[in-house]
Amino acid sequence: MTRSKKYASSTDVARLAGVSQSAVSRTYKPGASVSEETRAKVLAAAEQLDYRPSMIPRIMLTQRSHLVAIVIGGMYNPFYATVLERFTSRLQAGGWQVLLLHVDSGHSFDAAIPRLAGYRVDAIVSALAVLGPDTAEALARFRIPVISFNTPAQNDFLSSVCCDNTGAARAAADLFAARGARRFGYIAGPADSPANQDRLGGFRDRLRELGLPEPAVLGGHFRYEGGYASALQMCAGPDRPDAIFCANDLVAIGAIDALRRELRLKVPDDVMIAGFDDIPAAGYAGYDLTTFVHDAARMVDESLKILRAATAAPPEPHEHRVVVPAMLIERGTTARRA
Amino acid sequence: MTRSKKYASSTDVARLAGVSQSAVSRTYKPGASVSEETRAKVLAAAEQLDYRPSMIPRIMLTQRSHLVAIVIGGMYNPFYATVLERFTSRLQAGGWQVLLLHVDSGHSFDAAIPRLAGYRVDAIVSALAVLGPDTAEALARFRIPVISFNTPAQNDFLSSVCCDNTGAARAAADLFAARGARRFGYIAGPADSPANQDRLGGFRDRLRELGLPEPAVLGGHFRYEGGYASALQMCAGPDRPDAIFCANDLVAIGAIDALRRELRLKVPDDVMIAGFDDIPAAGYAGYDLTTFVHDAARMVDESLKILRAATAAPPEPHEHRVVVPAMLIERGTTARRA
DNA sequence: TTGTAGGCGTTATCAA
DNA sequence: TTGATAACGCCTACAA
C-alpha cells in the first residue's frame, strides 16, 4: 500500500547481478553493446528488485526532461477537454510526458512559472486566455519554447496556433444571408477574448460587405446563462433579429432554450442560430445546432510540429503563427428556406 | 523563441555572486541561516542569470518527486474533466505537480507504468475503468500508493474512493415510486462497469423491496446514442415503462431526445427519466434532467486525505475504501404528481 | 565486451 | 554564518 523501501537503483542491481553499474546502464540503452550473458544476469536481478531506470539523473545529464507542461484554465468548455486528451496521447506517443497545470488567472500563471522552470520542462503549451504580454515576457526569460493555443502570439518569444475565427464568422454571415435573414444579432463572449473579438469582427465586416444591416450585440460571457439572458433581452422587442451568431455553443444553447421556453419562438423558423465549438450537446437532437468547430486534430498536430522543431537540438526554424481554418457543421438551427 | 543556453545553475550564481554554492542553496531554503548581505548578493546574481532552482537533484536526494500521476481514460464524460480540474488545483496548492497520463486500455496502462516509475512519482490517482487486477498488481510491485477513483479496490495494494452508486439507485427507485410510477426501465451502461452494475442492482433491489415490478433492462454503453436507441426500443411497444432510470446523463439525454422526437412522448408526463452525473446539459432548460451527482469535491478531498497519509514519511494509517454518497438533483423530468 | 571514473545540480553534514 | 565535501542515480568517455 505504501512505499516501505526506496526504489532500487542500478547500483543495487549491479551488485546483485555481480556486474558493474555501467553494465546495467547499457542493458537499458537500446543499441548498446552488452553480451547476452550479462544482459540476462542484469535483467534477472532487475526483475528480482523491481528495478526501473530513473529518468531523473538523465534529465540532469542531458538537460532535457521530456516533460511538456500544458497549462489550462477552466475546462467547462468541452473543447479543451478534447484538446487536452489529444495532446496528451500524442505527446506520450512521442516520448514526452505531460505536466498539467491548472491556472485561473494571469497572476496564478506567473506564480506557476518558477515551478515549471524547476522541473526543467522542455516546452510549454498554453491553452488559455490569460496568457498576457507580461506572462509571455516572463516565460521568454527562461528560454522555454511556448506554444500558445488559440491566443495569437504577442511577441517574438512564443509561437501560436489559432483557429481562423474571422473566416468562420464571415462564413456564418454568408450562411445566414443565403438563408434569407434580414436582421442580425451577435451574442458575445468576454470583450477581452481575442476569439470573441475576431468572431464579432468577421461577422460584422462580412455583413457590411454584403450590404446588410449591422448586427445587434449583447453578452459578455462564454457560458450558458449568458446566452440565455442575452437572447431574452435581444429578442423581447419588436425589432428582434431573425439570425443570431453566438460566440460559442454554450451561449447558443442558452439562447435556444431562452427563445423556446421564454419567448415561444421557433428555431430556425423565427430565429436562426449558429454557435462555435461543436460541443457534444450541439449534436443532440434536442438542439441540432449549426456550429463551427476548431479542427482540433490539425491544431494539435501543428502545435506538435512547432514543438518538435523548437525543442530539437539544435533548434530548427519553424512557423511562429499558424492559422487553421474552422469547419462548418450545418445542422437544423439554420435549416430555413430562403 | 528557443533555448539557446542551458539553464543557469546554482554554481553559476555562486560564481557571479562571489559566494559558495551552498550559500545559494541556503538562500532558497526557507528558514536557513544566511546573512542579509549574502542573500542580497545571491538574489542579484540569480536575477541577472534568470536562475530558478532545479527540482531534479532534489528528487534524487530526497526520494520524493512531488509528482502525482493522474491516469484518465476518455474525457467524453465531463465529470472527469471536473474531477481532473479540481484534483489539479488542489494538488498544486499542496505543493505537488500533476503528471497527466492518458490511457485507453488496460494494456496501455501497463505499458505506461515503467514511465511513471521512471519519473519516480509519489503516488498515482486512477480515474479509470480499466484498472484491472493485473495492472493493480503490477503497480503494487513498485510500492507506489495508488488511489483508484470510482473503481473499488481489488486488493490490498491500492485505496479507492467511490461514489455510493447503490444508494443513489435505491433513491431513484424511491423517487419514481413516490411519483406514482408503475412500470420501470433501466437503460444500462457497459455490463463490466462496476458503476453500472451497482446502479442496476440498487434500482432493482429497491423496487423489489417496495413490491414493485422488475425493471426492463436494455443498453450497454455510456453514450448518447446508446440511450437514444435503447429508449426507442424500450418504449415502442404497448407495455412501455413510465419511469426510466438511466446509467448516466448522456444516456438519459439520448433517451429524452428519442422519446420526444421519435415517439412523441412527453417527459415527465408519459415517461419520467432520471440520470447520473449532472453534466452541464442536464441543467439546460431544454432537458431539465433529474439526476444524481458525484460529490466531486468531497471525493477529491477524501482522495487527497489518503494521498497525504500514504505519501507521508513514515506512511500513516488511513482508510482504504471510502464511499461517498451521491447527491440527488431533482428537476423537471421527474416532476409528476403522484 | 567490460569496468573505472568523472560529472550533472542539488541537499545535508561537518568543520571552520 | 559560511564553505568544503560527500552523496543521490545515472550516462559517457576512456582504458582494459
Side-chain angles (χ1 to χ4, degrees):
Chain A
M1 172 56 51
T2 46
R3 292 243 312 282
S4 43
K5 303 183 299 184
K6 306 187 320 182
Y7 284 93
S9 72
S10 56
T11 311
D12 299 331
V13 174
R15 190 163 28 227
L16 180 61
V19 298
S20 73
Q21 184 273 331
S22 10
V24 179
S25 178
R26 280 191 281 258
T27 300
Y28 287 91
K29 179 179 180 174
S33 70
V34 213
S35 70
E36 267 318 310
E37 189 189 345
T38 304
R39 155 175 257 111
K41 281 195 288 190
V42 167
L43 290 179
E47 168 76 14
Q48 191 175 332
L49 296 175
D50 293 323
Y51 168 73
R52 293 294 142 182
S54 170
M55 287 292 299
I56 309 300
R58 193 198 310 256
I59 298 175
M60 288 185 24
L61 266 355
T62 62
Q63 301 278 350
R64 317 197 73 236
S65 62
H66 299 279
L67 246 25
V68 173
I70 299 187
V71 184
I72 53 168
M75 284 194 289
Y76 54 84
N77 188 333
F79 168 68
Y80 285 112
T82 306
V83 167
L84 180 58
E85 181 165 334
R86 191 176 178 93
F87 251 120
T88 306
S89 302
R90 304 292 278 243
L91 285 171
Q92 282 173 209
W96 274 292
Q97 295 299 320
V98 170
L99 206 60
L100 183 64
L101 217 69
H102 176 85
V103 144
D104 41 29
S105 67
H107 176 68
S108 63
F109 198 163
D110 292 342
I113 293 178
R115 296 181 158 208
L116 295 184
Y119 281 94
R120 299 299 190 245
V121 298
D122 289 344
I124 297 175
V125 174
S126 158
L128 201 59
V130 301
L131 210 181
D134 294 350
T135 305
E137 183 68 33
L139 286 169
R141 298 188 57 189
F142 292 103
R143 304 177 204 88
I144 307 174
V146 177
I147 298 168
S148 171
F149 204 74
N150 255 340
T151 301
Q154 299 110 329
N155 63 33
D156 280 349
F157 304 110
L158 75 170
S159 313
S160 63
V161 175
C162 296
C163 172
D164 183 9
N165 289 300
T166 305
R170 297 173 60 87
D174 284 329
L175 177 65
F176 284 155
R179 296 284 178 277
R182 298 314 204 92
R183 293 175 309 281
F184 303 88
Y186 178 75
I187 303 186
D192 59 356
S193 148
N196 174 67
Q197 292 161 9
D198 289 349
R199 288 168 199 175
L200 172 55
F203 190 58
R204 180 183 270 156
D205 289 352
R206 184 59 183 157
L207 287 178
R208 201 171 292 156
E209 289 176 21
L210 293 169
L212 292 168
E214 288 283 306
V217 178
L218 274 180
H221 300 285
F222 273 140
R223 295 171 174 265
Y224 178 87
E225 295 74 18
Y228 202 95
S230 297
L232 220 51
Q233 190 182 342
M234 188 179 278
C235 296
D239 260 4
R240 62 169 169 75
D242 64 344
I244 302 177
F245 184 39
C246 298
N248 75 358
D249 283 355
L250 285 174
V251 168
I253 284 172
I256 291 172
D257 279 349
L259 295 181
R260 286 186 181 151
R261 305 183 63 87
E262 308 268 355
L263 302 176
R264 304 282 156 198
L265 291 171
K266 283 182 183 163
V267 177
D269 302 358
D270 298 319
V271 185
M272 289 190 282
I273 301 276
F276 215 114
D277 287 347
D278 194 35
I279 64 176
Y284 301 167
Y287 293 108
D288 201 29
L289 175 67
T290 290
T291 187
F292 293 87
V293 62
H294 295 71
D295 194 340
R298 194 165 145 200
M299 291 180 71
V300 170
D301 290 348
E302 293 287 346
S303 302
L304 290 174
K305 208 181 291 176
I306 293 175
L307 199 151
R308 271 189 293 266
T311 59
E316 297 160 7
H318 57 85
E319 289 290 326
H320 284 188
R321 275 172 162 261
V322 176
V323 175
V324 176
M327 301 182 297
L328 168 63
I329 300 187
E330 212 172 335
R331 295 205 184 93
T333 56
T334 51
R336 191 203 287 172
R337 298 242 172 78
Chain B
M1 172 58 50
T2 47
R3 291 243 314 281
S4 44
K5 302 184 299 186
K6 306 189 318 183
Y7 284 91
S9 73
S10 55
T11 310
D12 299 331
V13 174
R15 190 163 28 228
L16 179 61
V19 299
S20 74
Q21 184 274 331
S22 327
V24 179
S25 178
R26 278 191 283 260
T27 299
Y28 287 91
K29 179 179 179 176
S33 70
V34 214
S35 69
E36 269 317 312
E37 188 189 345
T38 304
R39 154 173 259 112
K41 281 194 287 189
V42 167
L43 290 179
E47 169 76 15
Q48 191 175 333
L49 296 175
D50 292 323
Y51 169 73
R52 293 294 142 182
S54 169
M55 286 292 299
I56 309 300
R58 191 199 311 255
I59 298 175
M60 288 186 23
L61 263 357
T62 62
Q63 303 278 348
R64 317 198 73 233
S65 64
H66 296 101
L67 245 27
V68 173
I70 298 187
V71 184
I72 53 167
M75 285 195 288
Y76 54 86
N77 188 332
F79 168 69
Y80 285 113
T82 306
V83 167
L84 180 58
E85 180 165 336
R86 190 178 179 91
F87 250 120
T88 306
S89 302
R90 303 292 278 242
L91 285 171
Q92 282 173 212
W96 274 295
Q97 294 299 319
V98 170
L99 207 60
L100 182 65
L101 217 70
H102 176 86
V103 143
D104 41 30
S105 67
H107 175 68
S108 63
F109 197 164
D110 293 342
I113 292 179
R115 296 179 159 209
L116 294 183
Y119 281 95
R120 298 300 191 244
V121 297
D122 290 343
I124 298 176
V125 175
S126 158
L128 200 59
V130 301
L131 209 181
D134 294 350
T135 305
E137 183 69 33
L139 286 169
R141 298 187 57 191
F142 292 103
R143 303 175 205 87
I144 307 175
V146 178
I147 297 167
S148 172
F149 205 73
N150 256 339
T151 301
Q154 298 111 330
N155 63 32
D156 281 350
F157 303 109
L158 74 170
S159 313
S160 63
V161 176
C162 296
C163 171
D164 183 9
N165 289 299
T166 306
R170 296 173 59 88
D174 284 330
L175 177 66
F176 284 156
R179 296 285 177 275
R182 299 314 204 91
R183 293 175 309 280
F184 304 88
Y186 177 76
I187 303 186
D192 58 357
S193 149
N196 173 67
Q197 291 161 10
D198 289 349
R199 287 169 198 175
L200 172 55
F203 189 60
R204 181 183 268 156
D205 290 352
R206 184 58 184 158
L207 287 178
R208 203 172 290 155
E209 289 176 19
L210 293 170
L212 293 167
E214 289 282 306
V217 177
L218 275 180
H221 300 285
F222 272 141
R223 293 169 177 266
Y224 177 88
E225 295 75 17
Y228 202 96
S230 298
L232 220 51
Q233 191 181 341
M234 188 180 276
C235 295
D239 261 4
R240 62 169 169 74
D242 64 344
I244 303 178
F245 183 41
C246 298
N248 74 359
D249 283 354
L250 285 175
V251 168
I253 283 172
I256 291 172
D257 278 350
L259 295 181
R260 286 185 181 151
R261 306 182 64 86
E262 307 268 354
L263 302 175
R264 303 282 156 198
L265 291 170
K266 284 183 183 162
V267 178
D269 302 0
D270 298 318
V271 185
M272 289 189 284
I273 301 276
F276 215 114
D277 287 345
D278 194 35
I279 63 176
Y284 301 168
Y287 293 108
D288 200 29
L289 175 66
T290 291
T291 188
F292 293 87
V293 61
H294 295 71
D295 194 340
R298 193 166 145 199
M299 292 180 71
V300 170
D301 290 347
E302 293 287 345
S303 301
L304 291 174
K305 208 181 292 177
I306 294 175
L307 200 151
R308 272 189 293 266
T311 59
E316 297 160 6
H318 57 85
E319 288 292 324
H320 285 186
R321 274 171 161 261
V322 175
V323 175
V324 176
M327 300 182 298
L328 169 62
I329 299 187
E330 211 172 336
R331 295 204 184 93
T333 57
T334 54
R336 192 204 287 172
R337 297 245 171 76

